[in-house]
Amino acid sequence: MGTNGSTVLEPLRQGLPPIDPGAVSTSASCALPARYEAVRGARKFTSATLDRWELTERFDDVALVVSELVTNALRHAVPADAPQEEGLNPPVRLHLMRWSSRLVCAVRDPSRESPEARGGEEDFAAESGRGLFLVDSFSDSWGWHPLAGTLRGKVVWALFRTGPE
């Protein structure tokens, strides 16, 4: 991972539960276009990465959470009139990081707005607004942090236990 990658992940690492950031055994990331097809691409990237890391048994839960985080980023964090620039500074980026007994998926987006779970029973059945409820249900913990320095936006992350403590 290059310098820019570690800069992007620094606020994320500071906000994680107590896991030694230096103990990340491996990580992978991909840029996602500001289009809803990006969700399919994020799932394919997650599948290939978990396969490489021999964590395919966690794919269903992780892919569901990745799909929700990417969908939320596209729906709520990327302005409708955002330039569709490819390459240099993609609006949404997926990071997967693996520790010996943990897996973290994190989605970076350009908004500094807090992600909010919708409350109330009338919203519970709604298609929109249940994403963070699903993230909370299928991951072991989740959170978010604004990015620091020259990077704008935030990182929303979800943690999965993958083995014994």
Side-chain angles (χ1 to χ4, degrees), residues 1-13 24 27-30 88 93-97 106 108 147 151 155:
M1 187 181 304
T3 318
N4 191 30
S6 59
T7 306
V8 168
L9 294 180
E10 201 49 47
L12 166 66
R13 288 178 173 151
V24 172
S27 64
S29 73
C30 71
L88 197 60
R93 188 164 194 95
L94 169 64
H95 296 272
L96 298 172
M97 293 164 284
R108 183 184 111 202
L147 292 169
L151 292 162
V155 170

Side-chain angles (χ1 to χ4, degrees), residues 18-85:
I19 304 174
D20 174 14
V24 172
S25 59
T26 188
S27 64
S29 73
C30 71
L32 299 168
R35 296 186 298 272
Y36 285 108
E37 305 89 81
V39 176
R40 188 180 319 123
R43 289 177 67 90
K44 284 174 115 172
F45 175 78
T46 300
S47 175
T49 302
L50 294 185
D51 191 44
R52 204 168 54 247
W53 293 348
E54 298 178 356
L55 290 172
T56 51
E57 74 280 359
R58 296 308 309 266
F59 173 73
D60 290 343
D61 290 350
V62 175
L64 178 102
V65 168
V66 163
S67 296
E68 293 299 336
L69 293 180
V70 171
T71 298
N72 282 351
L74 294 172
R75 181 175 290 148
H76 301 294
V78 177
D81 59 352
Q84 300 294 314
E85 62 206 47

Side-chain angles (χ1 to χ4, degrees), residues 80-151:
D81 59 352
Q84 300 294 314
E85 62 206 47
E86 298 295 328
L88 197 60
N89 191 21
V92 177
R93 188 164 194 95
L94 169 64
H95 296 272
L96 298 172
M97 293 164 284
R98 181 180 179 203
W99 282 259
S100 58
S101 62
R102 302 276 194 278
L103 170 72
V104 169
C105 62
V107 174
R108 183 184 111 202
D109 68 52
S111 169
R112 294 183 71 89
E113 293 289 313
S114 163
E116 293 178 13
R118 300 241 174 105
E121 290 199 18
E122 69 280 355
D123 286 340
F124 181 75
E127 191 66 26
S128 175
R130 65 188 179 105
L132 292 177
F133 174 79
L134 291 172
V135 170
D136 188 56
S137 298
F138 285 87
S139 66
D140 290 299
S141 63
W142 73 276
W144 75 280
H145 287 274
L147 292 169
T150 58
L151 292 162

